[in-house]
Amino acid sequence: MATIKACLFDLDGVIVDTAKFHYQAWKTLADGLNIDFTEHDNERLKGVSRMRSLEIILEIGGVTMPEAEQVTLATRKNEVYLEDVQRMTEADVLPGVRRFLEECRAAGLKTALGSASKNARLILERVQLLSLFDAVVDGTDVANAKPDPEVFLKGAEMLGVAPEECVVFEDAVAGVEAARNGGMHCIGVGDASILSDADFVIPGFEEMTVARLQELR
Ligand code: BG6
Ligand code: MG
């Protein structure tokens, strides 16, 4: 049985359902460029940085443009996205997440956020979860995007916990790979057929308990 001392959480799709806001904002941008961008395509953007997300959309549409123009478009997308974020409240935390975080802390486990998003701290503040994290590592703190393990390794280091004593909760394939590449345990959140590299997959946090961490090997 594994000794777990810390739980590390992805943000988008694990703690809050912001994937739909990202999709709507990218869809608006793609429509403006006459690029047919579907919800299926959107799966490829999960866990991926803002600029890489735009590159993928441009690739789908076969569109090329100078980098400066790409930066302008990505900035505009973020403004549209933030309109939705500003409306978020405590009620937008996914079911069971707050209770599980509190249970972790009561059990003496450390908690950290490991997200590609540059908006992570803002979102945690909006939904009033910031105080439940011992460490926050986001898109402004790392040079290498998932599946590189940097975001999770940095979180573990800030907590003073060894990678093999950490479990990562992730909804994206790139995020599960990042946890694996960092030598950490990983519990997938979502679809078991997509997140097949995780130790096990939960549909959400409603049934998740600290006791279930004993299932990790
Ligand atoms: C990840 C999301 O958490 O953050 C991606 O899964 C998103 O979809 C990425 O592109 C970057 O987010 P932001 O908020 O910095 O644009
Ligand atoms: Mg995610």
Side-chain angles (χ1 to χ4, degrees), residues 53-73:
S53 297
L54 176 61
E55 276 171 25
I56 293 172
I57 292 169
L58 294 177
E59 275 165 30
I60 290 169
V63 174
T64 52
M65 65 175 66
E67 204 185 319
E69 216 171 302
Q70 293 187 25
V71 171
T72 306
L73 281 184

Side-chain angles (χ1 to χ4, degrees), residues 10-14 46-47 146 170-172:
D10 173 49
L11 175 70
D12 295 309
V14 169
K46 289 187 178 170
K146 298 172 189 176
E170 256 295 348
D171 72 314

Side-chain angles (χ1 to χ4, degrees), residues 159-180:
L159 298 176
V161 175
E164 61 272 21
E165 296 169 331
C166 293
V167 59
V168 169
F169 290 87
E170 256 295 348
D171 72 314
V173 174
V176 173
E177 272 181 54
R180 290 291 179 222

Side-chain angles (χ1 to χ4, degrees), residues 10-12 22 26 45-50 53 77-78 81 115-120 146:
D10 173 49
L11 175 70
D12 295 309
H22 279 296
W26 284 127
L45 270 47
K46 289 187 178 170
V48 169
S49 76
R50 195 181 306 164
S53 297
K77 177 267 170 180
N78 195 50
Y81 174 67
S115 168
S117 172
K118 295 186 169 162
N119 297 304
K146 298 172 189 176

Side-chain angles (χ1 to χ4, degrees), residues 162-206:
E164 61 272 21
E165 296 169 331
C166 293
V167 59
V168 169
F169 290 87
E170 256 295 348
D171 72 314
V173 174
V176 173
E177 272 181 54
R180 290 291 179 222
N181 290 338
M184 297 180 179
H185 301 273
C186 186
I187 298 177
V189 182
D191 186 335
S193 65
I194 296 175
L195 306 173
S196 50
D197 276 347
D199 288 287
F200 62 88
V201 178
I202 55 174
F205 283 86
E206 275 171 313

